[in-house]
Amino acid sequence: MDGVIIREIRREDNETISLLIRQILLEFCVPRTGSAYDDPELDLMYESFTRPMSCYYIAEDKGIVIGGGGIAPLKNYDGTVCELQKMYVSKAYRGKGLGSELLKTCIAKARSLGYTSCYLESVPSMHKAHGLYLENGFKYLNEPMGNTGHTVCGVWMAMEF
């Protein structure tokens, strides 16, 4: 993908990435409440992901934000588990390997920070994303880990490093 770069989030990305994520959530008919849509961190992504043990990556093509994904400590959980958070790719860039590159970047960062496993939550309508996660070593779980507050997410997955 010529021209596409993956970089750490900057403060000036906050509005653009939150709008992109909300647009994608609506595309997949994800309810606004109980999902990332109404997550208070969504409007403050830079501030949320520059905390210790966290990182968020922006994918851009010629200066246009086209996706992102990050890791942070799993909320309300003891242990060395991170959560893959707010990983979304613009419709025009799906199926071209960008999601895989974002995921690999996040997992490499998680390992470098000392995490031993990664957890994620998703909604059933994002089945192509589930395939990406399975291809990269995630496995389905029967129940959620921690308590993220995303009550509409009925798909839970994790991978150990």
mmCIF file of all heavy atoms in Angstrom, residues 102-152:
data_model
loop_
_atom_site.group_PDB
_atom_site.id
_atom_site.type_symbol
_atom_site.label_atom_id
_atom_site.label_comp_id
_atom_site.label_asym_id
_atom_site.label_seq_id
_atom_site.Cartn_x
_atom_site.Cartn_y
_atom_site.Cartn_z
ATOM 1 N N LEU A 102 -1.666 -3.222 11.291
ATOM 2 C CA LEU A 102 -2.008 -2.536 12.546
ATOM 3 C C LEU A 102 -1.971 -3.520 13.709
ATOM 4 O O LEU A 102 -1.422 -3.219 14.764
ATOM 5 C CB LEU A 102 -3.395 -1.909 12.454
ATOM 6 C CG LEU A 102 -3.487 -0.506 11.903
ATOM 7 C CD1 LEU A 102 -4.944 -0.141 11.622
ATOM 8 C CD2 LEU A 102 -2.858 0.506 12.834
ATOM 9 N N LEU A 103 -2.568 -4.685 13.505
ATOM 10 C CA LEU A 103 -2.607 -5.695 14.563
ATOM 11 C C LEU A 103 -1.197 -6.127 14.958
ATOM 12 O O LEU A 103 -0.862 -6.177 16.146
ATOM 13 C CB LEU A 103 -3.435 -6.901 14.110
ATOM 14 C CG LEU A 103 -3.583 -8.030 15.117
ATOM 15 C CD1 LEU A 103 -4.229 -7.544 16.410
ATOM 16 C CD2 LEU A 103 -4.391 -9.166 14.506
ATOM 17 N N LYS A 104 -0.357 -6.407 13.988
ATOM 18 C CA LYS A 104 1.023 -6.823 14.277
ATOM 19 C C LYS A 104 1.794 -5.723 14.997
ATOM 20 O O LYS A 104 2.586 -6.003 15.900
ATOM 21 C CB LYS A 104 1.728 -7.224 12.981
ATOM 22 C CG LYS A 104 1.218 -8.528 12.434
ATOM 23 C CD LYS A 104 1.841 -8.852 11.084
ATOM 24 C CE LYS A 104 1.216 -10.131 10.529
ATOM 25 N NZ LYS A 104 1.677 -10.452 9.185
ATOM 26 N N THR A 105 1.551 -4.483 14.631
ATOM 27 C CA THR A 105 2.208 -3.354 15.296
ATOM 28 C C THR A 105 1.776 -3.277 16.760
ATOM 29 O O THR A 105 2.611 -3.093 17.656
ATOM 30 C CB THR A 105 1.888 -2.037 14.557
ATOM 31 O OG1 THR A 105 2.344 -2.147 13.199
ATOM 32 C CG2 THR A 105 2.544 -0.843 15.218
ATOM 33 N N CYS A 106 0.487 -3.443 17.006
ATOM 34 C CA CYS A 106 -0.032 -3.405 18.378
ATOM 35 C C CYS A 106 0.508 -4.564 19.212
ATOM 36 O O CYS A 106 0.904 -4.367 20.372
ATOM 37 C CB CYS A 106 -1.556 -3.434 18.369
ATOM 38 S SG CYS A 106 -2.336 -1.921 17.767
ATOM 39 N N ILE A 107 0.535 -5.762 18.644
ATOM 40 C CA ILE A 107 1.014 -6.938 19.378
ATOM 41 C C ILE A 107 2.501 -6.794 19.695
ATOM 42 O O ILE A 107 2.946 -7.124 20.803
ATOM 43 C CB ILE A 107 0.723 -8.231 18.599
ATOM 44 C CG1 ILE A 107 -0.786 -8.449 18.461
ATOM 45 C CG2 ILE A 107 1.394 -9.437 19.249
ATOM 46 C CD1 ILE A 107 -1.572 -8.494 19.754
ATOM 47 N N ALA A 108 3.278 -6.291 18.745
ATOM 48 C CA ALA A 108 4.716 -6.090 18.998
ATOM 49 C C ALA A 108 4.916 -5.101 20.142
ATOM 50 O O ALA A 108 5.773 -5.309 21.017
ATOM 51 C CB ALA A 108 5.413 -5.594 17.731
ATOM 52 N N LYS A 109 4.118 -4.038 20.179
ATOM 53 C CA LYS A 109 4.211 -3.061 21.257
ATOM 54 C C LYS A 109 3.819 -3.704 22.585
ATOM 55 O O LYS A 109 4.471 -3.482 23.613
ATOM 56 C CB LYS A 109 3.332 -1.841 20.965
ATOM 57 C CG LYS A 109 3.406 -0.758 22.002
ATOM 58 C CD LYS A 109 4.788 -0.137 22.057
ATOM 59 C CE LYS A 109 4.808 1.083 22.959
ATOM 60 N NZ LYS A 109 6.105 1.763 22.938
ATOM 61 N N ALA A 110 2.755 -4.493 22.569
ATOM 62 C CA ALA A 110 2.304 -5.163 23.789
ATOM 63 C C ALA A 110 3.404 -6.053 24.357
ATOM 64 O O ALA A 110 3.681 -6.030 25.556
ATOM 65 C CB ALA A 110 1.044 -5.979 23.509
ATOM 66 N N ARG A 111 4.035 -6.810 23.505
ATOM 67 C CA ARG A 111 5.132 -7.676 23.945
ATOM 68 C C ARG A 111 6.275 -6.855 24.526
ATOM 69 O O ARG A 111 6.845 -7.208 25.555
ATOM 70 C CB ARG A 111 5.636 -8.524 22.782
ATOM 71 C CG ARG A 111 4.722 -9.647 22.419
ATOM 72 C CD ARG A 111 5.318 -10.485 21.298
ATOM 73 N NE ARG A 111 4.546 -11.695 21.107
ATOM 74 C CZ ARG A 111 4.213 -12.179 19.925
ATOM 75 N NH1 ARG A 111 4.620 -11.595 18.819
ATOM 76 N NH2 ARG A 111 3.506 -13.286 19.850
ATOM 77 N N SER A 112 6.613 -5.757 23.857
ATOM 78 C CA SER A 112 7.732 -4.931 24.332
ATOM 79 C C SER A 112 7.431 -4.288 25.682
ATOM 80 O O SER A 112 8.349 -3.972 26.431
ATOM 81 C CB SER A 112 8.084 -3.856 23.300
ATOM 82 O OG SER A 112 7.141 -2.801 23.302
ATOM 83 N N LEU A 113 6.146 -4.107 25.989
ATOM 84 C CA LEU A 113 5.753 -3.529 27.275
ATOM 85 C C LEU A 113 5.646 -4.588 28.379
ATOM 86 O O LEU A 113 5.369 -4.251 29.528
ATOM 87 C CB LEU A 113 4.425 -2.783 27.134
ATOM 88 C CG LEU A 113 4.477 -1.482 26.326
ATOM 89 C CD1 LEU A 113 3.067 -0.931 26.099
ATOM 90 C CD2 LEU A 113 5.352 -0.450 27.032
ATOM 91 N N GLY A 114 5.825 -5.858 28.024
ATOM 92 C CA GLY A 114 5.802 -6.911 29.022
ATOM 93 C C GLY A 114 4.478 -7.632 29.198
ATOM 94 O O GLY A 114 4.337 -8.469 30.098
ATOM 95 N N TYR A 115 3.512 -7.345 28.357
ATOM 96 C CA TYR A 115 2.252 -8.087 28.431
ATOM 97 C C TYR A 115 2.498 -9.530 27.998
ATOM 98 O O TYR A 115 3.362 -9.798 27.163
ATOM 99 C CB TYR A 115 1.194 -7.450 27.521
ATOM 100 C CG TYR A 115 0.670 -6.125 28.014
ATOM 101 C CD1 TYR A 115 0.981 -4.945 27.355
ATOM 102 C CD2 TYR A 115 -0.149 -6.050 29.137
ATOM 103 C CE1 TYR A 115 0.495 -3.721 27.800
ATOM 104 C CE2 TYR A 115 -0.643 -4.837 29.589
ATOM 105 C CZ TYR A 115 -0.318 -3.674 28.913
ATOM 106 O OH TYR A 115 -0.811 -2.474 29.355
ATOM 107 N N THR A 116 1.718 -10.453 28.558
ATOM 108 C CA THR A 116 1.855 -11.858 28.194
ATOM 109 C C THR A 116 0.687 -12.372 27.363
ATOM 110 O O THR A 116 0.740 -13.472 26.829
ATOM 111 C CB THR A 116 1.994 -12.733 29.448
ATOM 112 O OG1 THR A 116 0.840 -12.535 30.280
ATOM 113 C CG2 THR A 116 3.271 -12.395 30.210
ATOM 114 N N SER A 117 -0.369 -11.574 27.283
ATOM 115 C CA SER A 117 -1.494 -11.940 26.431
ATOM 116 C C SER A 117 -2.291 -10.690 26.068
ATOM 117 O O SER A 117 -2.134 -9.635 26.682
ATOM 118 C CB SER A 117 -2.390 -12.996 27.085
ATOM 119 O OG SER A 117 -2.880 -12.542 28.313
ATOM 120 N N CYS A 118 -3.135 -10.860 25.053
ATOM 121 C CA CYS A 118 -3.946 -9.746 24.550
ATOM 122 C C CYS A 118 -5.389 -10.219 24.423
ATOM 123 O O CYS A 118 -5.657 -11.315 23.920
ATOM 124 C CB CYS A 118 -3.407 -9.282 23.198
ATOM 125 S SG CYS A 118 -4.258 -7.826 22.535
ATOM 126 N N TYR A 119 -6.301 -9.393 24.868
ATOM 127 C CA TYR A 119 -7.737 -9.672 24.866
ATOM 128 C C TYR A 119 -8.410 -8.652 23.961
ATOM 129 O O TYR A 119 -7.932 -7.522 23.819
ATOM 130 C CB TYR A 119 -8.250 -9.533 26.308
ATOM 131 C CG TYR A 119 -9.748 -9.514 26.465
ATOM 132 C CD1 TYR A 119 -10.483 -10.690 26.405
ATOM 133 C CD2 TYR A 119 -10.428 -8.333 26.711
ATOM 134 C CE1 TYR A 119 -11.864 -10.682 26.572
ATOM 135 C CE2 TYR A 119 -11.804 -8.311 26.889
ATOM 136 C CZ TYR A 119 -12.514 -9.485 26.814
ATOM 137 O OH TYR A 119 -13.867 -9.483 26.987
ATOM 138 N N LEU A 120 -9.515 -9.042 23.351
ATOM 139 C CA LEU A 120 -10.305 -8.079 22.581
ATOM 140 C C LEU A 120 -11.771 -8.427 22.665
ATOM 141 O O LEU A 120 -12.142 -9.570 22.961
ATOM 142 C CB LEU A 120 -9.842 -8.020 21.121
ATOM 143 C CG LEU A 120 -10.078 -9.232 20.218
ATOM 144 C CD1 LEU A 120 -11.481 -9.228 19.604
ATOM 145 C CD2 LEU A 120 -9.042 -9.256 19.116
ATOM 146 N N GLU A 121 -12.582 -7.423 22.430
ATOM 147 C CA GLU A 121 -14.028 -7.593 22.348
ATOM 148 C C GLU A 121 -14.488 -7.046 21.007
ATOM 149 O O GLU A 121 -13.920 -6.091 20.490
ATOM 150 C CB GLU A 121 -14.733 -6.827 23.473
ATOM 151 C CG GLU A 121 -14.405 -7.338 24.841
ATOM 152 C CD GLU A 121 -15.095 -6.578 25.958
ATOM 153 O OE1 GLU A 121 -15.443 -5.385 25.767
ATOM 154 O OE2 GLU A 121 -15.268 -7.173 27.031
ATOM 155 N N SER A 122 -15.537 -7.669 20.483
ATOM 156 C CA SER A 122 -16.072 -7.242 19.203
ATOM 157 C C SER A 122 -17.571 -7.510 19.181
ATOM 158 O O SER A 122 -18.125 -8.072 20.127
ATOM 159 C CB SER A 122 -15.375 -8.000 18.065
ATOM 160 O OG SER A 122 -15.757 -7.497 16.803
ATOM 161 N N VAL A 123 -18.199 -7.112 18.106
ATOM 162 C CA VAL A 123 -19.620 -7.387 17.905
ATOM 163 C C VAL A 123 -19.758 -8.440 16.808
ATOM 164 O O VAL A 123 -18.900 -8.542 15.928
ATOM 165 C CB VAL A 123 -20.411 -6.110 17.547
ATOM 166 C CG1 VAL A 123 -20.439 -5.139 18.729
ATOM 167 C CG2 VAL A 123 -19.850 -5.440 16.311
ATOM 168 N N PRO A 124 -20.812 -9.230 16.842
ATOM 169 C CA PRO A 124 -20.975 -10.298 15.856
ATOM 170 C C PRO A 124 -20.955 -9.825 14.398
ATOM 171 O O PRO A 124 -20.476 -10.547 13.531
ATOM 172 C CB PRO A 124 -22.335 -10.909 16.216
ATOM 173 C CG PRO A 124 -22.487 -10.639 17.674
ATOM 174 C CD PRO A 124 -21.849 -9.278 17.877
ATOM 175 N N SER A 125 -21.432 -8.625 14.117
ATOM 176 C CA SER A 125 -21.502 -8.151 12.728
ATOM 177 C C SER A 125 -20.135 -7.907 12.091
ATOM 178 O O SER A 125 -20.026 -7.803 10.873
ATOM 179 C CB SER A 125 -22.347 -6.870 12.643
ATOM 180 O OG SER A 125 -21.778 -5.838 13.416
ATOM 181 N N MET A 126 -19.095 -7.859 12.878
ATOM 182 C CA MET A 126 -17.751 -7.614 12.341
ATOM 183 C C MET A 126 -17.010 -8.935 12.121
ATOM 184 O O MET A 126 -15.854 -9.107 12.490
ATOM 185 C CB MET A 126 -16.969 -6.683 13.273
ATOM 186 C CG MET A 126 -17.542 -5.303 13.328
ATOM 187 S SD MET A 126 -16.554 -4.200 14.363
ATOM 188 C CE MET A 126 -17.249 -2.624 13.908
ATOM 189 N N HIS A 127 -17.666 -9.880 11.442
ATOM 190 C CA HIS A 127 -17.116 -11.224 11.278
ATOM 191 C C HIS A 127 -15.825 -11.262 10.462
ATOM 192 O O HIS A 127 -14.975 -12.115 10.698
ATOM 193 C CB HIS A 127 -18.170 -12.164 10.693
ATOM 194 C CG HIS A 127 -18.718 -11.723 9.378
ATOM 195 N ND1 HIS A 127 -19.784 -10.857 9.272
ATOM 196 C CD2 HIS A 127 -18.324 -12.009 8.128
ATOM 197 C CE1 HIS A 127 -20.029 -10.633 7.997
ATOM 198 N NE2 HIS A 127 -19.165 -11.312 7.280
ATOM 199 N N LYS A 128 -15.627 -10.352 9.530
ATOM 200 C CA LYS A 128 -14.364 -10.341 8.779
ATOM 201 C C LYS A 128 -13.200 -9.978 9.698
ATOM 202 O O LYS A 128 -12.097 -10.511 9.561
ATOM 203 C CB LYS A 128 -14.442 -9.401 7.586
ATOM 204 C CG LYS A 128 -15.308 -9.950 6.471
ATOM 205 C CD LYS A 128 -15.245 -9.106 5.231
ATOM 206 C CE LYS A 128 -16.132 -9.709 4.158
ATOM 207 N NZ LYS A 128 -16.118 -8.921 2.926
ATOM 208 N N ALA A 129 -13.440 -9.082 10.637
ATOM 209 C CA ALA A 129 -12.396 -8.739 11.614
ATOM 210 C C ALA A 129 -12.075 -9.955 12.476
ATOM 211 O O ALA A 129 -10.909 -10.213 12.782
ATOM 212 C CB ALA A 129 -12.837 -7.565 12.483
ATOM 213 N N HIS A 130 -13.093 -10.731 12.824
ATOM 214 C CA HIS A 130 -12.854 -11.935 13.629
ATOM 215 C C HIS A 130 -11.930 -12.888 12.881
ATOM 216 O O HIS A 130 -11.044 -13.505 13.479
ATOM 217 C CB HIS A 130 -14.162 -12.651 13.960
ATOM 218 C CG HIS A 130 -15.173 -11.763 14.611
ATOM 219 N ND1 HIS A 130 -16.494 -12.100 14.699
ATOM 220 C CD2 HIS A 130 -15.066 -10.539 15.191
ATOM 221 C CE1 HIS A 130 -17.163 -11.128 15.302
ATOM 222 N NE2 HIS A 130 -16.316 -10.175 15.600
ATOM 223 N N GLY A 131 -12.119 -12.992 11.573
ATOM 224 C CA GLY A 131 -11.245 -13.830 10.756
ATOM 225 C C GLY A 131 -9.801 -13.353 10.812
ATOM 226 O O GLY A 131 -8.872 -14.158 10.912
ATOM 227 N N LEU A 132 -9.615 -12.041 10.758
ATOM 228 C CA LEU A 132 -8.269 -11.462 10.866
ATOM 229 C C LEU A 132 -7.635 -11.846 12.196
ATOM 230 O O LEU A 132 -6.475 -12.249 12.248
ATOM 231 C CB LEU A 132 -8.338 -9.938 10.729
ATOM 232 C CG LEU A 132 -7.066 -9.173 11.088
ATOM 233 C CD1 LEU A 132 -5.985 -9.398 10.041
ATOM 234 C CD2 LEU A 132 -7.368 -7.688 11.229
ATOM 235 N N TYR A 133 -8.401 -11.727 13.268
ATOM 236 C CA TYR A 133 -7.874 -12.052 14.588
ATOM 237 C C TYR A 133 -7.524 -13.540 14.690
ATOM 238 O O TYR A 133 -6.471 -13.899 15.221
ATOM 239 C CB TYR A 133 -8.863 -11.656 15.682
ATOM 240 C CG TYR A 133 -9.212 -10.188 15.681
ATOM 241 C CD1 TYR A 133 -10.531 -9.763 15.848
ATOM 242 C CD2 TYR A 133 -8.250 -9.205 15.488
ATOM 243 C CE1 TYR A 133 -10.860 -8.422 15.845
ATOM 244 C CE2 TYR A 133 -8.574 -7.861 15.470
ATOM 245 C CZ TYR A 133 -9.885 -7.474 15.649
ATOM 246 O OH TYR A 133 -10.204 -6.144 15.640
ATOM 247 N N LEU A 134 -8.397 -14.401 14.177
ATOM 248 C CA LEU A 134 -8.123 -15.840 14.204
ATOM 249 C C LEU A 134 -6.859 -16.176 13.416
ATOM 250 O O LEU A 134 -6.034 -16.964 13.877
ATOM 251 C CB LEU A 134 -9.314 -16.617 13.634
ATOM 252 C CG LEU A 134 -10.581 -16.659 14.493
ATOM 253 C CD1 LEU A 134 -11.755 -17.218 13.693
ATOM 254 C CD2 LEU A 134 -10.345 -17.475 15.759
ATOM 255 N N GLU A 135 -6.696 -15.561 12.255
ATOM 256 C CA GLU A 135 -5.505 -15.790 11.420
ATOM 257 C C GLU A 135 -4.226 -15.381 12.130
ATOM 258 O O GLU A 135 -3.144 -15.885 11.810
ATOM 259 C CB GLU A 135 -5.610 -14.998 10.116
ATOM 260 C CG GLU A 135 -6.631 -15.522 9.139
ATOM 261 C CD GLU A 135 -6.827 -14.580 7.960
ATOM 262 O OE1 GLU A 135 -6.038 -13.624 7.780
ATOM 263 O OE2 GLU A 135 -7.801 -14.800 7.213
ATOM 264 N N ASN A 136 -4.334 -14.464 13.084
ATOM 265 C CA ASN A 136 -3.154 -13.954 13.774
ATOM 266 C C ASN A 136 -2.984 -14.516 15.180
ATOM 267 O O ASN A 136 -2.237 -13.960 15.976
ATOM 268 C CB ASN A 136 -3.197 -12.425 13.794
ATOM 269 C CG ASN A 136 -2.811 -11.850 12.453
ATOM 270 O OD1 ASN A 136 -1.629 -11.710 12.150
ATOM 271 N ND2 ASN A 136 -3.802 -11.549 11.612
ATOM 272 N N GLY A 137 -3.683 -15.615 15.493
ATOM 273 C CA GLY A 137 -3.429 -16.316 16.742
ATOM 274 C C GLY A 137 -4.432 -16.116 17.860
ATOM 275 O O GLY A 137 -4.277 -16.686 18.941
ATOM 276 N N PHE A 138 -5.467 -15.314 17.649
ATOM 277 C CA PHE A 138 -6.500 -15.157 18.676
ATOM 278 C C PHE A 138 -7.421 -16.370 18.664
ATOM 279 O O PHE A 138 -7.614 -17.009 17.633
ATOM 280 C CB PHE A 138 -7.325 -13.885 18.428
ATOM 281 C CG PHE A 138 -6.647 -12.616 18.871
ATOM 282 C CD1 PHE A 138 -5.715 -11.997 18.046
ATOM 283 C CD2 PHE A 138 -6.924 -12.051 20.104
ATOM 284 C CE1 PHE A 138 -5.080 -10.827 18.441
ATOM 285 C CE2 PHE A 138 -6.292 -10.886 20.511
ATOM 286 C CZ PHE A 138 -5.374 -10.278 19.672
ATOM 287 N N LYS A 139 -8.000 -16.648 19.823
ATOM 288 C CA LYS A 139 -8.965 -17.729 19.961
ATOM 289 C C LYS A 139 -10.213 -17.177 20.635
ATOM 290 O O LYS A 139 -10.128 -16.268 21.458
ATOM 291 C CB LYS A 139 -8.380 -18.865 20.793
ATOM 292 C CG LYS A 139 -7.215 -19.576 20.117
ATOM 293 C CD LYS A 139 -6.707 -20.706 21.011
ATOM 294 C CE LYS A 139 -5.712 -21.582 20.358
ATOM 295 N NZ LYS A 139 -4.545 -21.125 19.812
ATOM 296 N N TYR A 140 -11.361 -17.754 20.290
ATOM 297 C CA TYR A 140 -12.611 -17.336 20.915
ATOM 298 C C TYR A 140 -12.646 -17.743 22.381
ATOM 299 O O TYR A 140 -12.115 -18.789 22.760
ATOM 300 C CB TYR A 140 -13.816 -17.972 20.206
ATOM 301 C CG TYR A 140 -14.116 -17.366 18.856
ATOM 302 C CD1 TYR A 140 -13.892 -18.082 17.691
ATOM 303 C CD2 TYR A 140 -14.643 -16.083 18.746
ATOM 304 C CE1 TYR A 140 -14.176 -17.542 16.442
ATOM 305 C CE2 TYR A 140 -14.927 -15.529 17.512
ATOM 306 C CZ TYR A 140 -14.693 -16.263 16.366
ATOM 307 O OH TYR A 140 -14.973 -15.716 15.145
ATOM 308 N N LEU A 141 -13.274 -16.900 23.194
ATOM 309 C CA LEU A 141 -13.511 -17.188 24.605
ATOM 310 C C LEU A 141 -15.012 -17.369 24.821
ATOM 311 O O LEU A 141 -15.827 -16.823 24.061
ATOM 312 C CB LEU A 141 -13.005 -16.037 25.479
ATOM 313 C CG LEU A 141 -11.521 -15.667 25.359
ATOM 314 C CD1 LEU A 141 -11.237 -14.421 26.189
ATOM 315 C CD2 LEU A 141 -10.649 -16.830 25.796
ATOM 316 N N ASN A 142 -15.382 -18.067 25.886
ATOM 317 C CA ASN A 142 -16.793 -18.280 26.201
ATOM 318 C C ASN A 142 -17.397 -17.160 27.034
ATOM 319 O O ASN A 142 -18.620 -17.087 27.173
ATOM 320 C CB ASN A 142 -16.983 -19.611 26.928
ATOM 321 C CG ASN A 142 -16.681 -20.788 26.031
ATOM 322 O OD1 ASN A 142 -16.985 -20.758 24.842
ATOM 323 N ND2 ASN A 142 -16.056 -21.812 26.578
ATOM 324 N N GLU A 143 -16.537 -16.327 27.596
ATOM 325 C CA GLU A 143 -17.021 -15.230 28.441
ATOM 326 C C GLU A 143 -16.002 -14.099 28.424
ATOM 327 O O GLU A 143 -14.840 -14.303 28.076
ATOM 328 C CB GLU A 143 -17.267 -15.715 29.869
ATOM 329 C CG GLU A 143 -16.040 -16.279 30.534
ATOM 330 C CD GLU A 143 -16.344 -16.896 31.894
ATOM 331 O OE1 GLU A 143 -17.495 -17.272 32.152
ATOM 332 O OE2 GLU A 143 -15.399 -16.998 32.705
ATOM 333 N N PRO A 144 -16.452 -12.904 28.806
ATOM 334 C CA PRO A 144 -15.525 -11.770 28.795
ATOM 335 C C PRO A 144 -14.515 -11.831 29.933
ATOM 336 O O PRO A 144 -14.734 -12.509 30.939
ATOM 337 C CB PRO A 144 -16.445 -10.558 28.957
ATOM 338 C CG PRO A 144 -17.643 -11.083 29.659
ATOM 339 C CD PRO A 144 -17.799 -12.504 29.207
ATOM 340 N N MET A 145 -13.436 -11.111 29.735
ATOM 341 C CA MET A 145 -12.430 -10.924 30.787
ATOM 342 C C MET A 145 -12.536 -9.467 31.246
ATOM 343 O O MET A 145 -12.837 -8.582 30.447
ATOM 344 C CB MET A 145 -11.026 -11.175 30.228
ATOM 345 C CG MET A 145 -10.781 -12.599 29.770
ATOM 346 S SD MET A 145 -9.201 -12.811 28.911
ATOM 347 C CE MET A 145 -8.030 -12.452 30.213
ATOM 348 N N GLY A 146 -12.251 -9.212 32.504
ATOM 349 C CA GLY A 146 -12.312 -7.846 33.001
ATOM 350 C C GLY A 146 -13.714 -7.290 32.890
ATOM 351 O O GLY A 146 -14.705 -8.019 32.826
ATOM 352 N N ASN A 147 -13.793 -5.948 32.851
ATOM 353 C CA ASN A 147 -15.080 -5.277 32.692
ATOM 354 C C ASN A 147 -14.827 -3.975 31.948
ATOM 355 O O ASN A 147 -14.525 -2.955 32.551
ATOM 356 C CB ASN A 147 -15.733 -5.021 34.041
ATOM 357 C CG ASN A 147 -17.088 -4.366 33.898
ATOM 358 O OD1 ASN A 147 -17.567 -4.124 32.795
ATOM 359 N ND2 ASN A 147 -17.716 -4.078 35.023
ATOM 360 N N THR A 148 -14.947 -4.017 30.638
ATOM 361 C CA THR A 148 -14.632 -2.861 29.801
ATOM 362 C C THR A 148 -15.768 -1.852 29.721
ATOM 363 O O THR A 148 -15.555 -0.741 29.274
ATOM 364 C CB THR A 148 -14.290 -3.314 28.373
ATOM 365 O OG1 THR A 148 -15.460 -3.879 27.779
ATOM 366 C CG2 THR A 148 -13.151 -4.329 28.377
ATOM 367 N N GLY A 149 -16.975 -2.277 30.083
ATOM 368 C CA GLY A 149 -18.126 -1.395 29.964
ATOM 369 C C GLY A 149 -18.796 -1.457 28.603
ATOM 370 O O GLY A 149 -19.812 -0.807 28.377
ATOM 371 N N HIS A 150 -18.245 -2.242 27.696
ATOM 372 C CA HIS A 150 -18.829 -2.378 26.356
ATOM 373 C C HIS A 150 -19.793 -3.569 26.368
ATOM 374 O O HIS A 150 -19.461 -4.667 25.935
ATOM 375 C CB HIS A 150 -17.734 -2.555 25.304
ATOM 376 C CG HIS A 150 -16.857 -1.360 25.178
ATOM 377 N ND1 HIS A 150 -15.625 -1.406 24.590
ATOM 378 C CD2 HIS A 150 -17.026 -0.075 25.562
ATOM 379 C CE1 HIS A 150 -15.072 -0.204 24.614
ATOM 380 N NE2 HIS A 150 -15.908 0.615 25.210
ATOM 381 N N THR A 151 -20.983 -3.305 26.829
ATOM 382 C CA THR A 151 -21.953 -4.367 27.072
ATOM 383 C C THR A 151 -22.538 -4.973 25.805
ATOM 384 O O THR A 151 -23.090 -6.068 25.862
ATOM 385 C CB THR A 151 -23.090 -3.837 27.963
ATOM 386 O OG1 THR A 151 -23.677 -2.696 27.323
ATOM 387 C CG2 THR A 151 -22.575 -3.453 29.341
ATOM 388 N N VAL A 152 -22.449 -4.305 24.663
ATOM 389 C CA VAL A 152 -23.007 -4.862 23.430
ATOM 390 C C VAL A 152 -22.048 -5.822 22.734
ATOM 391 O O VAL A 152 -22.423 -6.489 21.778
ATOM 392 C CB VAL A 152 -23.448 -3.760 22.433
ATOM 393 C CG1 VAL A 152 -24.491 -2.860 23.060
ATOM 394 C CG2 VAL A 152 -22.279 -2.986 21.897
#
